[in-house]
Amino acid sequence: MGPHPAVAAIRLAVRRALHDVLSEHAAREGSSPTSPTGAHAPAGPGAHGGPREASAPAATSAHAPAAPAAPHGGARGAEPPLVLVACSGGADSMALASALAFEAPRLGVRAGGVTVDHGLQPGSDERALDVVARLTALGLTPAESAAVTIGRTGTGPEAAARDARYAALDEAAGRLGAAAVLLGHTRDDQAETVLLGLARGSGTRSLSGMAAISGTSELYRRPFLGVDRQTTRKACMVQSLAVWDDPHNADPAYTRSRVRHEVLPVLEKALGKGVVEALARTAQLSRDDADALDAWAADAERVVRTDAPGTEGWDGCELDTKRLHGLPPAVRRRVLRRAAIEAGAPAGSLFARHIEEVDRLVTAWRGQRAINLPGRVEARRQGGRLVVRHGSPASPTPLS
């Protein structure tokens, strides 16, 4: 008899992610990966908690002994890639850790874990040590804790904690030489992210939610974006995995908590079940559209630029306003955003209202003064050119 459907679902999701990592590792090493049992398992009912796990080794516990690992990826004798799981001790990340511990030895992957101690609650250091002990008990090594300090920023406590967390994970992955870090974001998290993006009114990219693969060198992988939160919790329960429920996740002081416990239930009551799935589907469709528009904008930028990118001593760009005006608004605004970021504007602080004001220098030119953007960047119209640069001595018009 195979594993519980919830366990099968999480293992299949992780197996797919590991297979991608192994294929990329093999390509870098210049060899062809082998195919241990289950490595190329096709999508089946188990992908969404169905009655069976496609081509999965039968087991009923995350602690079941691993089958002998087949050499997989890399040149003969090369060390297999290391994959880390970012684990808070909650149900989603513990389910992810258990699936990684089960699948990694079967695919010849080294597997470890990292938990981040944000220091925001009493006893957080002890909880972090407890998570490390749980990861070690699953057979993950190395398993370690990283303590961070949450600084004060203008983006709010949630964003500050997220930035500190990713910085710690970046450091751990670099120091340990990890090929990938698995994150436990689920389909429910994706739906919440789409709603938050919709509330900000930041456009298609904001509605695209979290990418399945992101980060420098595609470090971060999110295997559970197609798995709901109920499945991960069920997987932990049937495997007798202890989980910790972060009280911040239920604290209405945090925006995401209000979306989770107040907004989504109201939407489901008014619109019926399936809202989470629909929002997650919207994220994927929006990401496909945004990727296509971004590629169009990259091509258009090469046509409208009147300066040479990367010129020594020049920290900005110049764009031909006539050619810019002829672009579709969605493409033109992407070109303007790319120009602002190249000049030094932080992407996370560059909002739609900033780009709209710069766009008016192109489409509604009435002799306006320069526009001040985040990061001491200004956009100024000079004749038939739009000049976007860093740290101009002029006095631009500030945006409130």
Side-chain angles (χ1 to χ4, degrees):
M1 182 177 178
H4 186 280
V7 177
I10 63 171
R11 289 177 181 173
L12 179 59
V14 168
R15 187 184 316 131
R16 287 169 169 165
L18 292 182
H19 185 259
D20 289 343
V21 172
L22 285 165
S23 296
E24 294 160 12
H25 179 73
R28 286 192 299 269
E29 297 291 334
S31 66
S32 299
T34 59
S35 301
T37 301
H40 295 276
H48 299 287
R52 63 185 177 86
E53 179 185 17
S55 303
T60 57
S61 168
H63 300 280
H72 193 119
R76 183 178 297 275
E79 190 173 36
L82 170 65
V83 175
L84 300 174
V85 57
C87 185
S88 67
D92 300 336
S93 59
M94 281 304 299
L96 184 60
S98 72
L100 176 62
F102 182 87
E103 294 293 340
R106 287 158 175 77
L107 296 179
V109 175
R110 293 181 295 137
V114 178
T115 186
V116 178
D117 173 15
H118 297 84
L120 296 176
Q121 300 168 9
S124 64
D125 53 343
E126 295 179 4
R127 277 190 295 274
L129 292 176
D130 178 64
V131 172
V132 170
R134 287 192 240 164
L135 295 177
T136 302
L138 287 172
L140 298 176
T141 182
E144 60 183 49
S145 170
V148 298
T149 300
I150 309 301
R152 293 186 176 182
T153 69
T155 56
E158 291 170 283
R162 181 178 62 249
D163 291 345
R165 179 166 62 253
Y166 277 106
L169 293 173
D170 282 344
E171 188 280 330
R175 173 169 45 80
L176 297 172
V181 176
L182 305 187
L183 305 176
H185 298 119
T186 65
R187 186 167 60 195
D188 300 77
D189 294 310
Q190 185 74 298
E192 294 160 9
T193 302
V194 172
L195 282 179
L196 290 169
L198 182 63
R200 286 193 295 267
S202 301
T204 308
R205 179 57 70 186
S206 187
L207 292 180
S208 65
M210 296 174 285
I213 301 175
S214 65
T216 304
S217 301
E218 299 185 334
L219 176 66
Y220 294 106
R221 313 292 172 113
R222 297 178 175 87
F224 286 174
L225 289 184
V227 177
D228 61 42
R229 190 174 291 142
Q230 184 178 0
T231 297
T232 62
R233 187 165 288 276
K234 184 68 174 179
C236 289
M237 185 181 72
V238 299
Q239 295 178 106
S240 300
L241 294 174
V243 299
W244 174 67
D245 291 315
D246 187 347
H248 283 171
N249 291 335
D251 188 343
Y254 295 95
T255 306
R256 184 175 287 272
S257 175
R258 294 195 299 274
V259 169
R260 179 175 303 177
H261 298 288
E262 299 175 23
V263 178
L264 271 174
V266 168
L267 287 176
E268 289 197 333
K269 183 177 180 180
L271 303 177
K273 295 294 183 181
V275 170
V276 167
E277 292 84 350
L279 288 170
R281 186 165 59 252
T282 296
Q284 185 56 58
L285 294 172
S286 297
R287 181 165 297 279
D288 292 342
D289 290 348
D291 288 345
L293 288 168
D294 285 348
W296 187 353
D299 291 338
E301 182 183 6
R302 289 189 283 269
V303 175
V304 303
R305 284 193 75 146
T306 58
D307 66 325
T311 302
E312 186 175 356
W314 168 242
D315 51 358
C317 63
E318 296 180 358
L319 308 171
D320 183 283
T321 55
K322 184 177 181 180
R323 291 177 177 175
L324 271 174
H325 198 287
L327 294 174
V331 178
R332 182 176 62 246
R333 288 170 181 165
R334 278 171 165 76
V335 172
L336 298 177
R337 178 177 173 82
R338 287 168 61 94
I341 292 173
E342 180 180 330
S349 302
L350 199 58
F351 302 132
R353 62 186 175 86
H354 295 123
I355 304 304
E356 288 169 2
E357 289 297 326
V358 177
D359 195 39
R360 291 191 183 98
L361 296 179
V362 178
T363 62
W365 172 241
R366 299 290 186 273
Q368 301 99 307
R369 298 174 67 184
I371 302 299
N372 200 20
L373 300 174
R376 297 183 64 246
V377 171
E378 73 155 37
R380 174 185 297 275
R381 174 110 175 209
Q382 294 181 352
R385 296 174 301 141
L386 180 71
V387 180
V388 185
R389 66 176 305 173
H390 183 269
S392 173
S395 298
T397 300
L399 284 176
S400 58

